[in-house]
Amino acid sequence: MVDSPSLSTSHRIDVFWHEGMLNHDTGYGVFDTGEDPGFLDVLDKHPENSDRIKNMVSILKRGPIAPFISWHSGRRALLSELLSFHDPDYVNELVEADKKGGKVMCCGTFLNPGSWDASLLAAGTTLSAMKHVLDRQGKIAYALVRPPGHHAQPTQADGYCFLNNAGLAVQLALNSGCEKVAVVDIDVHYGNGTAEGFYTSNKVLTISLHMDHGSWGPSHPQTGSIDELGEGQGYGYNLNIPLPNGTGNRGYEYAMKTLVVPAVQKFEPDMIVLVAGQDSSAFDPNGRQCLTMDGYRSIGQMMSELANKYSSGSLLIVQEGGYHVTYSAYCLNATLEGILNLSPRSISDPIGCYPEDEAFSVKVIDSIKRYQDENVPFLKV
C-alpha cells in the first residue's frame, strides 16, 4: 500500500485495513435476528454487514480527505496475543465453534464460516495500528475493522462482537510501557466489554457515552449506569455517561466539555484511544442519538486537542458500530476531518438542518457531573 511521505505524522492518518474482514457474512433476516418469519418477501441484511465497511474504505480512498490518508495492510492476530485480554477457555470456544462450521454466540451475533478469520484479522489489524503509534511511526492510526469488538468481554461474545479489538490494543500499550491509557467510546451502545476488561485497573480510564439502554440479557449484564464505576483499585476509573434519546450535537458537545475533557485532564494519560461508532447518528437503525456530521467533527477536534496535550499527539481510533450504509461513511469522514483540524467541511451534510433541543440532555449531564464529583476519588484530587 502506498504511503504519503510528504505529509507530517501529525497531519495524516495511518489507516490499517485488510479486505479479508469482508468475509464475515452475517446473513439476512428480520433486522439482526437472522430469522425468516415466512411472510416477508424482502428480508434485511444484518446491520453489521460488509457494505457499511466498504463505504468507509471507499470514502477514505476516493473522498476529499484521501490526500491525508496513508494505507497499511492489516494482519491476523496470533492466538497467544488474544490471551492478554481474553480467557483461554473462551478463545478455545471460538476456535472449536469455527471448526464445527459456526455458532450462534448470542442474540444477533453469528459466528459463521469466515467469521473467525475476519475476527482474527480485526484483532491483529488493531494491534498493528497500536504498535505503529507506539513505535512512533505515526501519530494518528485508525484501525478500520470488523467485526466490531467493544462488547466482547474477557469470557464471552456480545452485540456482534467476538474479540475486543480496542481492549487488546490497550493492553498492548500497557505492556509496552504506557503508564496510563484513556479510552473514550462514542458508539451508541455501552462499551461494556472494554469496561469489564479493565474494571479493576487504575491504569485505564474507560469513558463511554451511550444511549441509556440498560442491560439486554445474559451476554450484556452490565447496565451502563453511572454507578458502574469500577472495583478495587479501578474504582472511579470507569465513567459511564448514559444519554437520553435524541441528545444531538449540542448535547454531545456539552457532555464532552463537561464530563469527558475534565476527566481526561485529571487522569493525564500517555496514550488515548477513541472507540468510534457512527451508530449515534441521526440516520442509524441501531440508535436514537441524532448526531450529525457537525457533532462528529466537533468530537474529533476535542479528541485531537486532548491527544496533543497529554499523549504527544498519539491517538488510536478503533472502528466499532455505525449501521447506516451511506451516512456512517459521511460521519466517519467528519470525525477524521475534526481530528485533522481541517476546514472548511469537505462534504455537505444531507441532514445538516436536523432540529435539536438539548435542554433535557443538559439537565441529565449536569446530574451525572454532580454524581461523579461526589463519588469519583480521582476527580477530587
Side-chain angles (χ1 to χ4, degrees):
M1 294 185 176
V2 179
D3 200 352
S4 302
S6 61
L7 291 175
S8 69
T9 57
S10 61
H11 215 62
R12 76 164 191 252
I13 296 177
D14 293 299
V15 177
F16 286 75
W17 158 251
H18 193 293
E19 65 180 9
M21 290 180 280
L22 298 175
N23 294 329
H24 172 45
D25 185 355
T26 47
Y28 290 79
V30 177
F31 195 56
D32 64 1
T33 64
E35 297 176 356
D36 181 351
F39 47 73
L40 297 177
D41 285 341
V42 181
L43 297 175
D44 295 314
K45 276 190 175 183
H46 189 288
E48 205 293 280
N49 63 71
S50 61
D51 291 346
R52 53 185 283 270
I53 297 296
K54 288 178 182 177
N55 273 344
M56 293 179 189
V57 172
S58 64
I59 200 170
L60 297 185
K61 285 190 172 182
R62 304 198 307 272
I65 67 170
F68 300 91
I69 302 298
S70 175
W71 290 91
H72 304 262
S73 183
R75 64 169 179 89
R76 292 168 182 82
L78 302 173
L79 292 182
S80 58
E81 292 177 303
L82 305 181
L83 303 181
S84 68
F85 186 91
H86 291 288
D87 183 84
D89 289 341
Y90 172 58
V91 173
N92 187 61
E93 177 188 359
L94 293 170
V95 170
E96 292 303 312
D98 178 58
K99 288 179 180 178
K100 294 176 181 178
K103 182 179 180 179
V104 179
M105 304 301 297
C106 58
C107 182
T109 306
F110 309 111
L111 189 79
N112 292 326
S115 300
W116 179 233
D117 187 61
S119 297
L120 291 174
L121 283 169
T125 297
T126 306
L127 288 169
S128 291
M130 175 59 91
K131 190 174 188 302
H132 187 81
V133 175
L134 293 170
D135 290 346
R136 300 187 179 184
Q137 297 181 48
K139 291 283 190 181
I140 308 167
Y142 170 39
L144 178 46
V145 295
R146 75 179 285 265
H150 73 148
H151 296 310
Q153 296 142 74
T155 60
Q156 65 177 347
D158 177 41
Y160 315 161
C161 304
F162 305 100
L163 298 173
N164 196 306
N165 308 312
L168 289 162
V170 169
Q171 192 60 56
L172 175 62
L174 294 174
N175 293 345
S176 301
C178 290
E179 295 184 3
K180 293 190 289 186
V181 182
V183 180
V184 179
D185 189 330
I186 62 169
D187 188 279
V188 80
H189 304 109
Y190 177 33
N192 60 311
T194 316
E196 186 73 18
F198 301 104
Y199 210 59
T200 60
S201 175
N202 60 1
K203 295 182 178 181
V204 181
L205 174 64
T206 48
I207 305 175
S208 178
L209 303 95
H210 49 264
M211 183 170 61
D212 191 6
H213 53 68
S215 169
W216 57 56
S219 71
H220 191 108
Q222 304 86 0
T223 66
S225 60
I226 59 175
D227 58 354
E228 291 179 345
L229 289 169
E231 294 177 350
Q233 288 186 328
Y235 182 80
Y237 293 94
N238 185 68
L239 301 180
N240 290 334
I241 305 173
L243 296 169
N245 289 354
T247 290
N249 296 339
R250 293 194 294 267
Y252 265 76
E253 289 171 17
Y254 187 72
M256 289 289 296
K257 292 176 181 178
T258 304
L259 300 172
V260 177
V261 170
V264 173
Q265 289 174 336
K266 283 279 189 178
F267 187 64
E268 296 184 327
D270 48 2
M271 178 61 68
I272 297 177
V273 176
L274 172 62
V275 178
Q278 296 80 32
D279 44 4
S280 301
S281 84
F283 274 4
D284 203 89
N286 275 34
R288 302 291 181 269
Q289 295 307 79
C290 297
L291 275 176
T292 67
M293 291 172 67
D294 281 347
Y296 284 103
R297 186 178 292 102
S298 177
I299 291 171
Q301 289 171 338
M302 284 186 269
M303 292 303 302
S304 178
E305 290 167 3
L306 287 171
N308 288 332
K309 187 171 183 179
Y310 293 103
S311 58
S312 301
S314 295
L315 176 66
L316 173 69
I317 309 152
V318 182
Q319 181 60 43
E320 294 291 347
Y323 304 106
H324 191 283
V325 171
T326 55
Y327 196 59
S328 292
Y330 275 56
C331 292
L332 168 63
N333 186 86
T335 305
L336 300 187
E337 273 188 343
I339 289 170
L340 290 168
N341 200 28
L342 300 178
S343 60
R345 69 182 70 167
S346 61
I347 301 176
S348 61
D349 193 329
I351 55 168
C353 297
Y354 196 91
E356 290 192 47
D357 181 359
E358 74 276 20
F360 179 61
S361 298
V362 167
K363 291 181 180 179
V364 171
I365 293 163
D366 286 341
S367 69
I368 296 173
K369 173 68 170 172
R370 289 192 294 272
Y371 179 86
Q372 290 182 352
D373 287 345
E374 293 172 2
N375 292 280
V376 177
F378 88 89
L379 292 178
K380 299 177 183 179
V381 176

